[in-house]
Amino acid sequence: MFQTLGYYICMPFAALVRFFYTLTNSYGLAIILFTIVIKLIMLPFQPYEEISHVFSLGDAGLIISKAGIGGSSVPSKTWSIMAANRPVLASFDKESQLGSLIAEAQCGLVAQANDSEAFKEAVRKLYQNRDNASAMGERGREYLAKNLDKETCVNAYVNVLRQVTENG
């Protein structure tokens, strides 16, 4: 019985490691990606109040999109990753608002969407230079505190409303 149970538990995990190996051609990176995914799968749904803790569990926050999709968007989890003091690792259109934000805040790395080689290199950079990755996370949080605090956002919103009503 335990042999059968072990088979049904281990085989999907082995398939997932093989998938990541074929994607990265590196067992080290495959194990890192496998660990990240398993953390996400094994962690049950968390209440909204605990989301910041969830994003702080990993060494980096992943944002992945197909090419051509993210031109003028910034996925909402970006803010949660930055607030959690973690670097952003994105496979996203480089010439997008997200790409510009990450470059301006110096809070992570962006590999062009659908470019698996560039994404693997970005993962390696974060893995091989953990101090720099930690500094990226800190810069992301500092960027939020400086540019997106409540007062700054409310003032920007009020200014837009003023411009609209004045130019009516």
Side-chain angles (χ1 to χ4, degrees):
M1 166 155 159
F2 290 113
Q3 250 182 344
T4 305
L5 184 61
Y7 175 82
Y8 287 109
I9 291 173
C10 292
M11 289 309 291
F13 288 162
L16 190 57
V17 171
R18 273 195 306 272
F19 169 75
F20 286 132
Y21 176 75
T22 58
L23 183 69
T24 64
N25 204 26
S26 163
Y27 279 113
L29 290 174
I31 295 300
I32 291 168
L33 291 172
F34 172 79
T35 303
I36 291 168
V37 168
I38 292 305
K39 277 185 179 181
L40 295 175
I41 292 171
M42 298 296 190
L43 190 63
F45 179 77
Q46 300 294 303
Y48 182 76
E49 306 82 49
E50 300 296 321
I51 292 298
S52 63
H53 300 296
V54 172
F55 281 101
S56 67
L57 291 175
D59 293 330
L62 297 176
I63 301 175
I64 299 174
S65 179
K66 291 181 181 178
I69 302 258
S72 62
S73 68
V74 176
S76 61
K77 69 179 175 177
T78 306
W79 314 116
S80 298
I81 294 166
M82 292 169 72
N85 219 34
R86 295 295 184 259
V88 177
L89 178 58
S91 174
F92 216 80
D93 293 325
K94 280 189 160 189
E95 303 301 320
S96 64
Q97 284 185 329
L98 177 63
S100 298
L101 170 68
I102 292 171
E104 180 182 338
Q106 299 178 6
C107 65
L109 299 173
V110 181
Q112 181 59 40
N114 298 349
D115 186 344
S116 61
E117 290 302 315
F119 184 72
K120 286 190 292 188
E121 184 57 31
V123 171
R124 279 191 198 101
K125 283 181 183 177
L126 287 181
Y127 178 74
Q128 291 172 348
N129 193 340
R130 303 219 178 178
D131 290 339
N132 190 38
S134 180
M136 288 177 183
E138 290 171 13
R139 286 192 295 267
R141 187 164 176 91
E142 290 168 6
Y143 182 90
L144 289 181
K146 181 180 176 186
N147 297 292
L148 298 174
D149 65 291
K150 186 177 181 179
E151 184 177 341
T152 303
C153 292
V154 168
N155 287 337
Y157 186 70
V158 168
N159 287 337
V160 168
L161 290 177
R162 279 191 187 131
Q163 289 175 358
V164 169
T165 56
E166 289 172 1
N167 296 333

